[in-house]
Amino acid sequence: PKAAVAGAVGVAVAIAWRLFISRMRNAGGAGRNNAWKTVTADAKEKLAAAGFDIVAPLKLRWYNEIAPDSAKIAPGGAMGEDALVILVGNSAALWPVFCDAHNARPEIGDAENPVDTYVDIEVNRVFRGKMRRVFYAHETKPGRLVAVQRMAHVAGVAHLDERSHLSIHPTLGPWLAFRAVVVLDDARGPGDRQKPRTP
């Protein structure tokens, strides 16, 4: 009887361990692989202070699966297609902060394209110290073009209406703009089970 009980306990422990490992893998590797949440939360807080109130994390592969060939982003680091990507945009929340910066900072106010300059400065400030590639929505050269509306769609931010070519946010409607895409090649993005539904 003792041997039978010990055998049953051993089998139960083995099954429980396999279930635990399976859940960890299916969750995108919880724990260390959820570091993207910390990175995103930190970026959201800092970007919001600069007027960028739309910040959405996604996995590079999710975007590349729906992007046209001319706008795909090549993997460039340790995480490959699993890399963390952060889409940065804004609602009307940008304008008071931007206007203050425009009036107080000559590098912005005197720039040929003040909004683009502000986006560049602030996005790079927030991600300083992190290995990153930054793409801007206003860029159209080969290798720099990103289909930001499609990215917003797959990231669960806004529905892309193919007829009107407008991105429709659940609460903001079409009154939003996408400014930058930050690819953190050495950080793992969300697991596939954490992929948001498109609005």
Side-chain angles (χ1 to χ4, degrees), residues 30-194:
R32 67 180 176 84
N33 289 341
N34 277 334
W36 67 269
K37 290 182 179 179
T38 304
V39 172
T40 303
D42 181 60
K44 276 186 179 183
E45 182 180 347
K46 292 174 180 174
L47 287 164
F52 302 105
D53 54 339
I54 297 171
V55 178
L58 64 149
K59 185 184 287 191
L60 180 59
R61 179 168 40 81
W62 300 347
Y63 167 72
N64 280 338
E65 285 174 350
I66 54 90
D69 289 342
S70 60
K72 290 186 186 300
I73 299 173
M79 292 297 113
E81 288 271 333
D82 289 332
L84 173 61
V85 176
I86 296 179
L87 174 65
V88 180
N90 64 275
S91 67
L94 172 68
W95 303 115
V97 185
F98 167 74
C99 287
D100 288 347
H102 181 276
N103 294 334
R105 296 162 58 184
E107 72 273 22
I108 294 165
D110 295 341
E112 184 177 351
N113 296 296
V115 173
D116 294 344
T117 300
Y118 179 76
V119 171
D120 181 33
I121 290 171
E122 292 303 317
V123 168
N124 279 292
R125 178 186 60 78
V126 167
F127 290 96
R128 185 178 296 126
K130 292 183 172 62
M131 293 292 293
R132 68 194 180 278
R133 290 182 289 157
V134 183
F135 299 82
Y136 298 99
H138 63 269
E139 295 181 303
T140 57
K141 292 180 181 178
R144 299 295 302 167
L145 176 68
V146 177
V148 289
Q149 289 180 293
R150 292 189 184 279
M151 182 177 285
H153 186 86
V154 78
V157 174
H159 172 76
L160 175 57
D161 182 77
E162 297 286 356
R163 288 181 296 175
S164 67
H165 302 289
L166 290 174
S167 291
I168 312 294
H169 188 275
T171 57
L172 300 170
W175 305 109
L176 72 166
F178 306 116
R179 302 292 180 180
V181 172
V182 182
V183 182
L184 299 164
D185 287 303
D186 293 335
R188 187 181 299 277
D192 287 338
R193 288 193 172 191
Q194 294 158 320

Side-chain angles (χ1 to χ4, degrees), residues 8-31:
V9 169
V11 169
V13 168
I15 290 171
W17 179 250
R18 285 185 188 145
L19 283 172
F20 172 75
I21 294 299
S22 174
R23 286 183 181 159
M24 291 289 282
R25 287 178 181 154
N26 289 337

